[in-house]
Amino acid sequence: MTSLSTLCYIEREGKYLMLHRTVKKNDVNQDKWIGVGGHFEADESPEECLLREVREETGYTLTSYRYRGIVTFVSGNGVTEYMSLFTADGFEGEPIPCDEGELAWVGIEDVWKLNIWEGDKIFFRLMDEQKEFFSLKLVYDGHDKLVSASLNGEPMELFDVRNPDGSPSGIVRERGVAHREGSLHATVHIWIVRENDKSGFDVLLQKRSASKDSHPGFYDISSAGHIAAGEDYLPTAVRELSEELGISASESELQYVGIHRGGFEDVFYGRPFKDEELSAVYVYAEPVSTGELRLQESEVEEVVWIDYEECRKRMEDGTLKNCVYADEFELVGTYLGVL
């Protein structure tokens, strides 16, 4: 079944008017909290449908609203809905009971704590960040699990939210949402090393691209990346080496060091960023010539070799602008036998 609808989030004093869908039987939104809106009637434009549905469900007449984007919602059980997404900050009239469920004004930050679709969190994030008009496609598995998401035709990164023991929780979350909420997720960290006659080993550091969403321009692990939903550590590590540095490695060439748990909170580009990750740490000691590397421009600005002990001291005294976890660097040093 394919349908057209509108969805609107009315704002007042830092709150959204939310609808708890509890009335209809066989409702794809059963027990979810969403905005107000509904299906198009014959010959209606998105704006005409918006105004009518808001008036019928809330009693309000909108006086100021904004068309934010198109959301293609694929339920996975035969329902595909094309939703015209609006926000509104002006209305008049008196509220009326809603025959779709219960209406409540909820703080915008508190909305994230409600039982909402994972995909809804993506467009909440996009709206919070004042993104221009967007097209967002969300595909589910027939239940609540997000299978894929695309923004303006480009795939978005999805992670398995992890339990503290590293096992998948069953929740799949978009990268930007995961870093907004501080959701525990899995990554791989690959340290490229070579023997030297100083401390015993050099390590290869990459300088993060200026366009990175966190720590742009900082020196970091040789290669690292997030594990996509449904994927595993070793295949991800091999892929990241290839994508970021152009290194064709085999899984057997990666030496497993251990699992590191790290986390931090900071602000980048004026937005909060929370990182909670479980990282499988590897060492790659095969010959590497920096002149032959193919750096992924969107990820890596440059790479440099540095003696392990010199690197450790510069990290400690603050003369190396970096975002490396000190305890992970010590873990690698212990594995290499230089500590």
Side-chain angles (χ1 to χ4, degrees), residues 68-221:
R68 306 300 297 271
I70 297 290
V71 179
T72 303
F73 171 86
V74 182
S75 71
N77 56 15
V79 175
T80 298
E81 191 162 339
Y82 299 95
M83 299 183 296
S84 293
L85 179 65
F86 291 85
T87 52
D89 58 7
F91 59 92
E92 58 189 18
E94 296 298 321
I96 60 173
C98 179
D99 60 5
E100 301 281 351
E102 296 79 41
L103 290 167
W105 290 99
V106 181
I108 291 177
E109 289 300 315
D110 293 330
V111 167
W112 292 74
K113 304 172 186 176
L114 300 176
N115 181 22
I116 62 178
W117 293 95
E118 274 298 322
D120 290 14
K121 294 180 181 180
I122 301 176
F123 64 66
F124 277 132
R125 178 177 70 80
L126 297 174
M127 293 191 301
D128 286 349
E129 295 172 7
Q130 295 299 313
K131 296 294 185 183
E132 297 297 325
F133 190 92
F134 55 84
S135 173
L136 179 65
K137 182 177 181 180
L138 305 169
V139 181
Y140 289 85
D141 67 347
H143 300 283
D144 286 356
K145 191 172 183 178
L146 191 61
V147 174
S148 69
S150 300
L151 178 61
N152 299 327
E154 296 294 327
M156 306 182 82
E157 291 185 65
L158 300 183
F159 304 155
D160 287 310
V161 176
R162 303 277 172 160
N163 296 313
D165 66 359
S167 61
S169 68
I171 299 171
V172 173
R173 188 157 288 160
E174 184 265 334
R175 173 178 179 150
V177 174
H179 284 305
R180 186 190 189 282
E181 296 199 305
S183 306
L184 185 63
H185 58 282
T187 66
V188 291
H189 292 174
I190 308 102
W191 290 91
I192 299 174
V193 302
R194 68 181 182 187
E195 293 186 2
N196 70 15
D197 56 4
K198 296 180 180 179
S199 70
F201 285 93
D202 291 326
V203 294
L204 187 72
L205 299 183
Q206 68 160 262
K207 187 177 183 181
R208 294 166 65 86
S209 166
S211 63
K212 290 291 290 181
D213 59 359
S214 66
H215 296 112
F218 280 56
Y219 284 98
D220 200 359
I221 302 156

Side-chain angles (χ1 to χ4, degrees), residues 44 53 56 59 82 140 197 216 243 292 309 333:
E44 279 188 325
E53 285 287 345
E56 291 175 356
Y82 299 95
Y140 289 85
D197 56 4
E243 291 180 352
E292 296 177 359
E309 183 60 23

